[in-house]
Amino acid sequence: MTSIGGASTGMVDWNLAVATATRLVRPGPEVSRDEARAVVAELRRHARASEEHVRGFTLLGTEEGHDTPVLVVDRPGWIRANVAGFREILRPLLDKMQERRGDTPGGSVMSAVGGKVTGVELGMLLSFLASRVLGQYETFAPATRELPSGQNGGGRLLLVAPNIVHVERELDVDPHDFRLWVCLHEETHRTQFTAVPWLRDHLEGEIQSFLAETDVDPMTVLERVREAAQTLAGGRPEAEEDDGGRSLVEIVQTPAQREILGRLTAVMSLLEGHADFVMDGVGPSVVPSVGEIREKFQQRRAKGASRLDLALRKLLGLDAKLRQYRDGERFVRAVVDEVGMDGFNRVWTSPNTLPTKSEIAKPADWVARVHRRAE
């Protein structure tokens, strides 16, 4: 196993996280070596074709997007990429927590033990997610030989081949159509980040602001995590029942974090909804069975796989992500219907033209604010 960015000491044992996730992740679907090679080759072809389809439909794109790599990975490959990204984005917070703990008696010993515990817990979480993600535009991990980025920086597009094969078989849809359909969605995310150069830094800044507001006392954080577990188990006092069902992400936050989270939710709703809108807009002309795929995939998204799956989705805030797809897609569709694709693309002008959380729900308010101000 490759070491993730050097030593694995500190608040999180990153290498242990990778080892745990890789050991626990479910095996992928059974495919022959020849079939696996064919799937990889087809996904790469579809990714290249999707780039032109998405650019033509969205009226977005720059030549810089061409040098952003497309990586077809297995589940362990997705795990390693995301651990590298987590390590980078969480570094300032974890350094701060490490410094705070180092000032206490026995702090270094506690950090070593705690880092291993946290590494195992993160590994368990990633093992759950690694068998569900079809694709991802990963933008935060630093470039390495295993995770190259474009010459101008940026990220890389990950397509998780075994998960795509698993879902196309589960849904019993045309595999070639389904692979192209997935690529259209993920390619839209790559186009968003390569065509809007400030977007990555803006997102990173918002995440860092959110983390900077985190109480760095480990006992306080653990207490809030315990609250989340009690909420899931139904063990919170009756007086607090109205808070039941909140996700871990919602519980571990200050009032300032709620404001930042609201802005992040709006941006993620925009990005995910835009990708769904593009997928539906391009799909009918290039994916013959798009109607069947869309219907079956929506049903799969909505119901989840099991009671445990539903509980984990609630805890991790994944139900909120499903709402982001729906709300964001409605926002994009309403704005394009009102002012056209060029008018919608004003959303990418600057952070000030991004929709607020309330504007996602009321697209007309965004149109009034951005277009009337410009006029």
Side-chain angles (χ1 to χ4, degrees):
M1 181 193 70
T2 303
S3 175
I4 301 297
S8 57
T9 57
M11 300 300 294
V12 181
D13 187 330
W14 298 105
N15 290 335
L16 184 57
V18 172
T20 301
T22 302
R23 185 177 71 251
L24 295 179
V25 72
R26 298 174 183 175
E30 291 188 13
V31 294
S32 68
R33 183 170 295 181
D34 287 344
E35 184 179 2
R37 287 174 177 159
V39 170
V40 171
E42 183 173 20
L43 286 172
R44 286 177 176 153
R45 288 196 305 272
H46 284 333
R48 286 194 298 271
S50 295
E51 186 173 0
E52 297 307 317
H53 293 317
V54 170
R55 282 177 167 213
F57 184 80
T58 64
L59 310 180
L60 292 173
T62 66
E63 291 304 314
E64 292 179 5
H66 286 296
D67 78 347
T68 307
V70 176
L71 307 178
V72 182
V73 299
D74 58 9
R75 289 168 178 173
W78 180 87
I79 288 166
R80 288 191 293 272
N82 277 268
V83 168
F86 282 143
R87 178 168 189 160
E88 188 67 18
I89 201 72
L90 292 175
R91 188 187 304 276
L93 172 65
L94 295 180
D95 286 349
K96 196 174 178 182
M97 292 179 73
Q98 178 74 24
E99 183 179 344
R100 170 76 67 89
R101 179 169 279 186
D103 292 337
T104 63
S108 60
V109 175
M110 291 173 63
S111 291
V113 174
K116 291 189 180 301
V117 171
T118 308
V120 169
E121 291 173 341
L122 177 59
M124 293 172 66
L125 167 61
L126 289 171
S127 72
F128 168 77
L129 295 174
S131 61
R132 287 158 172 77
V133 176
L134 301 181
Q136 173 188 359
Y137 187 76
E138 203 297 309
T139 184
F140 294 119
T144 63
R145 185 173 64 180
E146 191 176 38
L147 277 176
S149 64
Q151 293 178 2
N152 297 299
R156 68 286 298 167
L157 179 61
L158 306 177
L159 298 170
V160 191
N163 295 350
I164 294 171
V165 172
H166 171 77
V167 174
E168 70 193 25
R169 289 178 178 179
E170 179 186 319
L171 299 182
D172 190 25
V173 293
D174 182 282
H176 309 294
D177 284 2
F178 183 74
R179 293 166 196 173
L180 176 55
W181 187 75
V182 170
C183 286
L184 288 170
H185 182 100
E186 303 307 332
E187 178 58 43
T188 303
H189 288 315
R190 182 166 73 148
T191 297
Q192 290 163 348
F193 281 91
T194 55
V196 186
W198 53 263
L199 183 58
R200 179 199 178 280
D201 289 342
H202 172 70
L203 271 179
E204 183 176 11
E206 291 282 56
I207 293 169
Q208 292 301 340
S209 296
F210 182 89
L211 295 176
E213 287 290 330
T214 299
D215 189 327
V216 296
D217 173 18
M219 293 308 296
T220 301
V221 175
L222 286 175
E223 181 60 35
R224 290 181 180 175
V225 170
R226 196 171 297 117
E227 269 189 64
Q230 290 173 352
T231 298
L232 268 187
R236 300 192 71 188
E238 285 186 19
E240 299 182 54
E241 277 188 357
D242 58 330
D243 286 336
R246 289 198 298 168
S247 73
L248 180 59
V249 171
E250 291 173 312
I251 288 173
V252 184
Q253 61 176 297
T254 64
Q257 282 177 313
R258 290 191 188 96
E259 291 185 18
I260 300 167
L261 191 62
R263 295 196 298 269
L264 279 169
T265 298
V267 176
M268 298 311 298
S269 297
L270 171 69
L271 298 180
E272 296 294 355
H274 184 234
D276 266 12
F277 177 77
V278 172
M279 192 166 57
D280 285 349
V282 175
S285 63
V286 297
V287 182
S289 59
V290 65
E292 177 191 3
I293 291 172
R294 185 74 156 127
E295 181 180 357
K296 289 183 174 180
F297 193 77
Q298 290 284 57
Q299 291 172 355
R300 181 182 185 273
R301 249 186 199 172
K303 71 180 182 182
S306 65
R307 180 176 296 180
L308 174 62
D309 189 66
L310 290 171
L312 284 168
R313 277 169 45 181
K314 174 63 73 176
L315 175 62
L316 299 174
L318 299 183
D319 282 346
K321 186 174 177 65
L322 297 182
R323 290 195 296 274
Q324 287 171 12
Y325 285 105
R326 294 192 296 268
D327 297 345
E329 195 274 341
R330 282 196 291 265
F331 170 83
V332 176
R333 186 173 301 281
V335 172
V336 172
D337 285 348
E338 179 72 20
V339 295
M341 188 64 75
D342 279 326
F344 165 78
N345 281 341
R346 288 192 189 178
V347 80
W348 311 116
T349 304
S350 75
N352 293 330
T353 56
L354 291 172
T356 64
K357 191 175 179 181
S358 64
E359 287 171 343
I360 287 286
K362 297 180 178 179
D365 289 354
W366 179 87
V367 171
R369 176 172 68 87
V370 173
H371 283 264
R372 287 178 186 169
R373 178 191 296 171
E375 290 166 3

